[in-house]
Amino acid sequence: MAKTIFEELGGRYERQGDYLIPCLTVPAEEEQPIGTWGQRHLDYLKQYRKVTYTHLLTSGRLNAYLADIDKQAQERFERLIEGMKQAQGITNA
């Protein structure tokens, strides 16, 4: 029997009863801590951007993406707070 394109690309099948099911796995990704902003963005993706969420999840880049979003949002939050302190004349002393 000729190989399928899936098999030619390195995929394999597993027999489940009378059916051959492709063995699919999500690529492993490095676990990174995700803070409040990353969790909020995850909720947003799940609710309003399901295709983007699924793509990031299945490509193994979701955790890295959320960690980056969290870092960017935290930096922006800190800049906003610093700007508000300066506008109000608040010092750390």
Side-chain angles (χ1 to χ4, degrees):
M1 186 166 133
K3 285 189 173 184
T4 65
I5 293 174
F6 179 69
E7 290 172 314
E8 288 176 6
L9 294 173
R12 63 182 185 83
Y13 293 97
E14 182 178 286
R15 183 169 296 280
Q16 298 273 331
D18 291 337
Y19 300 99
L20 290 174
I21 308 293
C23 296
L24 304 174
T25 59
V26 176
E29 71 176 305
E30 179 184 336
E31 287 294 323
Q32 298 178 22
I34 298 172
T36 303
W37 306 111
Q39 291 294 329
R40 289 181 180 186
H41 193 68
L42 176 61
D43 292 340
Y44 167 79
L45 288 175
K46 285 180 176 179
Q47 188 170 1
Y48 299 106
R49 299 287 186 249
K50 293 178 182 178
V51 172
T52 302
Y53 167 73
T54 304
H55 175 69
L56 288 168
L57 180 65
T58 57
S59 67
R61 298 189 331 242
L62 180 63
N63 194 270
Y65 172 78
L66 291 174
D68 185 49
I69 290 291
D70 187 68
K71 180 182 172 191
Q72 291 178 34
Q74 186 63 36
E75 289 170 356
R76 181 171 289 183
F77 177 73
E78 290 170 4
R79 282 197 313 267
L80 285 170
I81 295 299
E82 194 58 39
M84 291 169 69
K85 284 182 185 178
Q86 290 176 358
Q88 297 294 320
I90 299 172
T91 62
N92 289 340

